[in-house]
Amino acid sequence: MSENSTQKWTAGAATGIGSMPGGDAREAAKTVTGSLETFPYLPELPARGPGADMIGRTLGMLVEVYGHVEPSGWRISDRPGRDTRRAHSWLGEDLDALEEFTQGYEGPLKVSAVGPWTLAAALELRNGEAAVGDPGACRDLAASLAEGLRGHLADVRRRIPGARVVLQLDEPSLTAVLQGRVKTASGYRTHRAVDRAVVEGALRDLVAVAEGGPVVVHSCAPEVPFGLLRRAGVTGVSFDFSLLTEREEETIGEAVEGGTTLFAGVVPGVDSRLSDPAGSVMGVRTLWRRLGLAPGTLSESVVITPSCGLAGASPAYARSALAHCVRAARSLTDNPE
């Protein structure tokens, strides 16, 4: 087992991904902390507009790198402007709300930021091209993100001193970066694939920012690079379970045996009819049997989540989905076979 396998949450844990519907920070924090009593997280509320979306929120954390909104998306700026100030304001409001509803809380608490490669794929340079096409810009972004996250994690620990802070890096574009599928500004070409060793190294540097705390990488895209993430030293990998294919099973098995926790997204992120909790995790049990892993390790090695963020769901469904995750996770503990 790897040094990252130290248990950071209770067996049979469940948590969310990041985004929630609506624009009321207090209501979102109340829902998350009430539904996920043993593993809450800091919600994102992108419905509020630019700066509250995941790219904007993360841009607001960067040190000496600023951004503003163009019709094509977020673009690097020379100095902080209205959009950067808005991002700071939204994040402060979200942290105030979470702090209010976690008084006296002790246990894991997840916060998220966009990882360096999805940030580089989404953020435009001044010429309108994605930063991922410029190795120097990628290095600068990763360094700025590392510095910003150090401050963010320190702020969360100060506000909620009993929390064991879990850092989630959102990397939905990671596979596209590795495979050279990020389009240029014209849309007619794609940026060259980034070398896997460079990608892995940048992620390893971000893992180090947590100073021994758990780091989870989330991607709701197909073909999550489990092996690369394991080598980068992440504690867990969060993914949409429905997108797994048989050819990924061997690397998943190796990751689990190496101590990596699977954050299995088994509950739909948009309004759907939910099956019984045991039915939602039937595929996880089946995978465990195919991999030949001991049933007793299942609830310790898997955290149950929605398949992705819940921003596109109704408020009622979002509450139901989080509660369903908790019950589904409990069923893995009660009946791992």
Side-chain angles (χ1 to χ4, degrees), residues 249-294:
E249 291 184 1
E250 183 178 349
T251 56
I252 291 174
E254 291 172 354
V256 172
E257 290 178 337
T260 304
T261 300
L262 303 182
F263 282 62
V266 300
V267 176
V270 294
D271 290 39
S272 305
R273 185 174 181 177
L274 298 174
S275 67
D276 67 286
S280 293
V281 291
M282 186 181 303
V284 180
R285 290 193 182 92
T286 301
L287 173 64
W288 226 247
R289 286 194 295 270
R290 284 205 303 267
L291 294 175
L293 298 170

Side-chain angles (χ1 to χ4, degrees), residues 50-326:
D53 59 300
M54 70 177 195
I55 298 295
R57 169 181 275 189
T58 302
L59 270 171
M61 298 179 189
L62 299 183
V63 174
E64 297 184 354
V65 175
Y66 315 107
H68 67 276
V69 178
E70 293 281 343
S72 54
W74 284 94
R75 183 172 294 183
I76 286 179
S77 301
D78 293 324
R79 59 184 63 85
R82 179 184 60 186
D83 295 327
T84 302
R85 290 192 294 271
R86 186 186 292 121
H88 281 291
S89 177
W90 289 138
L91 179 58
E93 182 178 311
D94 294 337
L95 285 167
D96 288 345
L98 185 68
E99 183 179 4
E100 177 184 348
F101 288 98
T102 51
Q103 293 296 306
Y105 174 73
E106 295 183 354
L109 173 71
K110 186 163 66 64
V111 299
S112 57
V114 175
W117 297 108
T118 295
L119 192 63
L123 185 59
E124 297 175 356
L125 301 175
R126 293 173 181 85
N127 64 3
E129 291 291 353
V132 74
D134 183 329
C138 290
R139 288 192 294 271
D140 291 346
L141 271 180
S144 177
L145 178 60
E147 191 63 27
L149 283 175
R150 286 190 186 95
H152 179 54
L153 294 175
D155 186 24
V156 174
R157 292 178 182 127
R158 178 185 59 78
R159 288 170 176 264
I160 311 167
R164 298 193 301 275
V165 181
V166 179
L167 172 61
Q168 175 179 299
L169 297 174
D170 291 317
E171 284 282 17
S173 298
L174 180 58
T175 301
V177 168
L178 289 167
Q179 296 181 356
R181 292 193 281 105
V182 178
K183 290 186 177 182
T184 60
S186 69
Y188 295 118
R189 297 186 299 109
T190 58
H191 291 284
R192 182 180 301 176
V194 180
D195 184 85
R196 296 179 75 87
V198 174
V199 170
E200 183 181 320
L203 289 170
R204 188 180 297 111
D205 291 344
L206 266 294
V207 169
V209 168
E211 299 179 346
V215 178
V216 177
V217 170
H218 167 71
S219 174
C220 50
E223 301 178 73
V224 176
F226 289 92
L228 183 151
L229 295 174
R230 178 174 62 86
R231 292 190 299 273
V234 306
T235 313
V237 180
S238 172
F239 59 99
D240 182 342
F241 191 83
S242 70
L243 298 179
L244 285 185
T245 63
E246 287 188 12
R247 66 174 177 269
E248 294 167 289
E249 291 184 1
E250 183 178 349
T251 56
I252 291 174
E254 291 172 354
V256 172
E257 290 178 337
T260 304
T261 300
L262 303 182
F263 282 62
V266 300
V267 176
V270 294
D271 290 39
S272 305
R273 185 174 181 177
L274 298 174
S275 67
D276 67 286
S280 293
V281 291
M282 186 181 303
V284 180
R285 290 193 182 92
T286 301
L287 173 64
W288 226 247
R289 286 194 295 270
R290 284 205 303 267
L291 294 175
L293 298 170
T297 66
L298 182 52
S299 64
E300 298 175 355
S301 301
V302 175
V303 175
I304 298 301
T305 74
S307 59
C308 205
L310 295 167
S314 66
Y317 177 81
R319 288 190 294 272
S320 297
L322 294 179
H324 191 86
C325 287
V326 172

